[in-house]
Amino acid sequence: MRGDSGPATLSFAQAIGISPPAPDSALQIRATHYALTRTAEGELLIELLGKVSLEYQGRRLEGERLLLDTEQGLVRSEEPFSLVAEQGVLRGQRGEYRYEQGRGRFEGVQATVLGIYLDAALLEGDLRDFTAQEVVVSTCDPFRPPIRVRAGRVRLVRGARLTLRNTRLFLYGQPLPNLPQLTVRVGETAEVVSLPAPVYSAETGWGARVRLELPIGANALLQASAVSYLRAVPETRVAVGVALQGGEPALGDPDVRLRFEQSALYNLRARPERAPPTDALTLRAELTRDVRPLLSPRERLRVSRTEVGLVAPLQSRSGFGEVSLRYGSLRERIDGQLTSTRTRFALEGDWFQPVLGRDGLQLRLHLWASYAHCAGTGDYQWLRPQLELLWQPSDALMVMAGYARASTRGSSPFLSEQLRARREASLRAEYQQGNLRLGMLLKYDLERRDLYDVQALIGWRDRCLEPYLFWRRTPSSVLLGVNLTTLTR
């Protein structure tokens, strides 16, 4: 039967002739014309023609001609169409879409997804989890992107991590060497792309660092990093995490996170886009050799560790955090001399809690705690709450003042376990004007009256691409790199 009386609006219930379902589960159909037929197998098909719109649970499919199979919850299109969702917009030449699952198989794709622009010969999945073939990816600007990547295969996992295989990079149109893999953290303002970067310090001389992130199946992730120096032993770290329930495996760098910040660059951001941890209980294993912690208390200190652990996220209505249970062995290299390897069991956690905010001011609490037992030496415990007052007098300037007071019990044989200051005042500032970004961090030991940490950063952003120079006074560090973010602000 055919409807030719002008625009028609149907619900899923009207299409198949049953009582209307609840509004949030209704399939809403709009079309200028429609035809109802049944196949030889008895399946009902609806041919929708002319300014077709099909909406289900917040996702909308639009086109000039769509074929709807109500038995399978499947929509087919042999003509250009658009899929609009919270994560972005996908346009394709043809495809199949299962609206109840929110997933499909699309050909000839152009999509804007979570700040990423991509052209793909084939895309399978939804706009948070998909695999695409023969892809061109760019960020921030689809017409004049500062960086463009051609990849044989692309995988987006849970709207957070974009992994590109067999890639060729183009920087301002100029080709760069091929890379077997490139990983981009979608929607972050930190260093989100794993490009090689040069590093320098007075102790090590010049070096180069590389990072690799490799998904293993749906719920496992491998991270590997290495830094090679002219005048020091190389650093290596390999970590594997498996999510024991749905979600992204938690594989943060424990050396850095335990020292109260996620990285030296994160440490410099007065507005560090703090986000809840991943939602998955994670089983992780790590092998680290001669790593120089970014927040090391001494110039010539290295840490080696073999460890297994269980990491669990914590979250309330207003705050969030993470707790981890770890077991393994640890050894340090101090001034070139190796210490004894000791077995270590640790329970560690952190919690971030906004307290109040009004008129450009925000007060928040950040709490870190650790309990560790080392074979042959006993227990070592510390608790460190920090109050942070965030002030934004203008769009260009952000200032954060902090006060922390640490308490300890017992002793640790490891220098990297020691707290730098029991009572600390800190000041961070970040200034952005046009393409220029300046960052500064000062840390002051209130008991010793010592300005023991000074850091600075200068960056120049062209849309989403930001070359930067980071400097730290003690331990001396210079880091050159490139931030790539999918956010334009």
Side-chain angles (χ1 to χ4, degrees), residues 226-284:
V227 187
S228 179
Y229 297 106
L230 294 177
R231 301 202 311 262
V233 295
E235 303 179 24
T236 56
R237 175 179 179 261
V238 177
V240 179
V242 179
L244 301 182
Q245 60 191 32
E248 177 88 359
L251 274 182
D253 188 336
D255 288 325
V256 174
R257 190 189 68 248
L258 187 60
R259 298 283 74 80
F260 316 130
E261 294 294 347
Q262 293 183 353
S263 75
L265 298 179
Y266 182 94
N267 205 16
L268 266 175
R269 292 186 177 274
R271 55 183 115 200
E273 315 307 333
R274 295 185 191 270
T278 57
D279 60 357
L281 180 68
T282 300
L283 178 66
R284 68 185 303 282

Side-chain angles (χ1 to χ4, degrees), residues 403-406 421-425 444-448 452:
Y403 171 78
R405 185 183 182 94
R422 291 184 177 272
R423 292 197 300 125
E424 174 193 281
Y444 185 77
D445 188 332
L446 293 170
E447 293 183 346
R448 300 178 182 178
Y452 70 89

Side-chain angles (χ1 to χ4, degrees), residues 114-345:
L114 298 169
I116 294 288
Y117 302 90
L118 61 87
D119 292 353
L122 175 67
L123 187 147
E124 296 178 277
D126 61 25
L127 296 188
R128 285 183 57 84
D129 290 82
F130 63 74
T131 301
Q133 311 284 347
E134 300 179 29
V135 185
V136 177
V137 177
S138 58
T139 61
C140 292
D141 186 341
F143 305 107
R144 298 181 299 106
I147 186 168
R148 187 188 299 268
V149 184
R150 295 185 182 275
R153 180 183 176 90
V154 168
R155 178 85 170 101
L156 178 66
V157 179
R158 297 182 181 91
R161 187 184 67 249
L162 191 73
T163 302
L164 304 94
R165 306 281 181 85
N166 300 323
T167 63
R168 183 69 182 272
L169 274 69
F170 295 84
L171 184 63
Y172 296 101
Q174 299 301 312
L176 300 177
N178 292 348
L179 295 174
Q181 177 175 296
L182 185 66
T183 300
V184 175
R185 288 283 181 176
V186 176
E188 295 187 6
T189 56
E191 187 181 12
V192 298
V193 61
S194 51
L195 292 173
V199 295
Y200 173 83
S201 77
E203 179 225 337
T204 63
W206 281 101
R209 65 167 187 162
V210 293
R211 295 175 63 91
L212 174 69
E213 192 169 82
L214 178 65
I216 305 173
N219 296 312
L221 183 66
L222 179 144
Q223 289 180 349
S225 63
V227 187
S228 179
Y229 297 106
L230 294 177
R231 301 202 311 262
V233 295
E235 303 179 24
T236 56
R237 175 179 179 261
V238 177
V240 179
V242 179
L244 301 182
Q245 60 191 32
E248 177 88 359
L251 274 182
D253 188 336
D255 288 325
V256 174
R257 190 189 68 248
L258 187 60
R259 298 283 74 80
F260 316 130
E261 294 294 347
Q262 293 183 353
S263 75
L265 298 179
Y266 182 94
N267 205 16
L268 266 175
R269 292 186 177 274
R271 55 183 115 200
E273 315 307 333
R274 295 185 191 270
T278 57
D279 60 357
L281 180 68
T282 300
L283 178 66
R284 68 185 303 282
E286 178 186 342
L287 178 64
T288 295
R289 291 293 179 264
D290 291 311
V291 167
R292 181 177 188 252
L294 287 175
L295 304 181
S296 167
R298 286 184 56 175
E299 189 80 34
R300 299 174 61 84
L301 172 66
R302 300 299 183 95
V303 176
S304 297
R305 177 179 54 235
T306 302
E307 183 181 79
V308 294
L310 194 64
V311 183
L314 302 173
Q315 191 161 359
S316 69
R317 182 170 299 179
S318 58
F320 56 87
E322 184 179 272
V323 63
S324 61
L325 186 66
R326 305 172 184 272
Y327 177 80
S329 61
L330 193 145
R331 181 187 69 188
E332 293 180 328
R333 184 192 296 267
I334 304 173
D335 295 327
Q337 301 298 314
L338 293 176
T339 65
S340 300
T341 300
R342 295 181 183 271
T343 301
R344 180 178 180 272
F345 167 83

